[in-house]
Amino acid sequence: MSGRQPKQLLLAFLGEYVVDAHDEPIRASALITVLEGAGIAPPATRATLDRLVQSDFLDRERSGREILFSLTGHGTAVLREATDRVRGPHPFDAPGEGWTLVTFSIPEEQRQLRHRLRAALTWDGFAPIRDGLWLAPGEVDLDASLAPLRGDLPTGAVTAFHARELPGFSIAESVRAAWDIAAIREAHESFIREWRTPQAVTSVLARRVMLVTDWLALLRADPRLPAAFMESNWPAGDSYALYHRVRTETEAAAAAEFASLVAPRTKAARV
């Protein structure tokens, strides 16, 4: 799976090693080192860090000659929202029965908010089916999903319902119109090809971050549709088994590398 972007890699790193796990600010040099191991040049990492500060995802401070970054409350909330599915044992199972329907109305001048809302809905498996109506399998916990946006959403901007399919009104056609089943399969198969025999990298920590980045991309691509709508020999189980194996194989060495990377520097090392 090529085309990993600096922002995706940084979010994977922060979600895996920082949120609820590491309380101290992270040196810019440490972040640059991790992303260099994943093939990202330092200028691209610095520019991405700047954008994350501007979007209130990260705080920046200076300590002597070092630039330090830490998660804001907003950044922490966004990363926590993804944690359960990223680390859970059933990431491709719909959350309950039936379907969740959502409509929303955001003023045209609030395009950034509309983009953030659509991104949140997509992460939860929603897709638009017609005229501003979005559909997701299962009983989506929208209250938790939209918590990071709650302070920005106008009152009454989002309306949601839980529904079930009625006899004589098949939802299959709407599902096929909303989601490209073949593309979801290809996303799984691409992940499996990449990580069955992954390209060797010097840094185990960078490899782990690349793995989580690709896993997040796969979770966004797969909306957790019920098995009845999937093709035969669906590869989701193979994707999960492979992810779990590589994650386990890299855990100890990556954790040790992270600890060394963020350890306080001696005075001599700073000179």
Side-chain angles (χ1 to χ4, degrees):
M1 298 175 72
S2 60
R4 302 180 188 99
Q5 298 300 309
K7 181 179 178 181
Q8 297 169 337
L9 290 159
L10 280 170
L11 295 185
F13 173 80
L14 294 168
E16 188 74 356
Y17 290 101
V18 177
V19 68
D20 297 326
H22 182 79
D23 294 332
E24 299 299 318
I26 305 289
R27 294 188 297 271
S29 57
L31 297 169
I32 289 169
T33 296
V34 173
L35 265 66
E36 274 193 294
I40 304 298
T45 300
R46 293 190 185 95
T48 303
L49 288 168
D50 286 343
R51 288 192 288 271
L52 288 173
V53 170
Q54 292 165 9
S55 64
D56 190 37
F57 200 95
L58 291 176
D59 278 330
R60 176 168 45 202
E61 61 183 289
R62 180 178 289 276
S63 177
R65 297 170 60 183
E66 293 280 6
I67 302 296
L68 306 176
F69 292 92
S70 56
L71 287 166
T72 63
H74 166 64
T76 297
V78 170
L79 293 176
R80 281 177 178 162
E81 196 277 325
T83 298
D84 287 345
R85 192 177 177 203
V86 170
R87 301 178 184 175
H90 305 290
F92 301 113
D93 291 353
E97 302 295 327
W99 301 86
T100 302
L101 298 169
V102 166
T103 64
F104 61 88
S105 177
I106 305 292
E108 178 66 25
E109 59 270 18
Q110 293 183 284
R111 292 184 180 180
Q112 181 61 25
L113 179 59
R114 291 170 66 186
H115 172 76
R116 291 168 59 199
L117 176 57
R118 287 180 177 133
L121 292 175
T122 300
W123 170 256
D124 273 326
F126 284 91
I129 55 173
R130 64 178 65 181
D131 300 331
L133 183 64
W134 290 58
L135 177 71
E139 300 178 54
V140 178
D141 185 358
L142 275 177
D143 189 53
S145 301
L146 301 184
L149 300 176
R150 191 68 66 192
D152 297 323
L153 285 171
T155 301
V158 177
T159 302
F161 308 88
H162 182 244
R164 61 182 175 83
E165 183 178 1
L166 293 176
F169 296 88
S170 173
I171 200 171
E173 186 174 340
S174 294
V175 168
R176 286 191 294 268
W179 290 283
D180 185 339
I181 306 299
I184 299 170
R185 173 185 282 277
E186 173 55 29
H188 280 282
E189 292 177 347
S190 177
F191 179 86
I192 292 168
R193 286 193 301 269
E194 176 73 18
W195 289 99
R196 180 180 289 143
T197 53
Q199 182 179 358
V201 294
T202 303
S203 165
V204 179
L205 178 58
R207 184 179 178 217
R208 173 77 166 229
V209 171
M210 292 160 66
L211 171 71
V212 175
T213 299
D214 290 353
W215 187 242
L216 283 163
L218 181 58
L219 294 180
R220 292 188 190 95
D222 189 317
R224 299 179 284 184
L225 292 170
F229 298 98
M230 300 294 96
E231 302 162 347
S232 60
N233 300 316
W234 192 249
D238 293 338
S239 295
Y240 175 75
L242 180 58
Y243 171 71
H244 183 72
R245 176 174 66 79
V246 178
R247 184 181 175 86
T248 300
E249 291 172 351
T250 57
E251 186 165 5
E257 189 176 337
F258 172 79
S260 175
L261 189 67
V262 301
R265 291 184 172 184
T266 64
K267 184 175 181 180
R270 295 192 188 104
V271 175

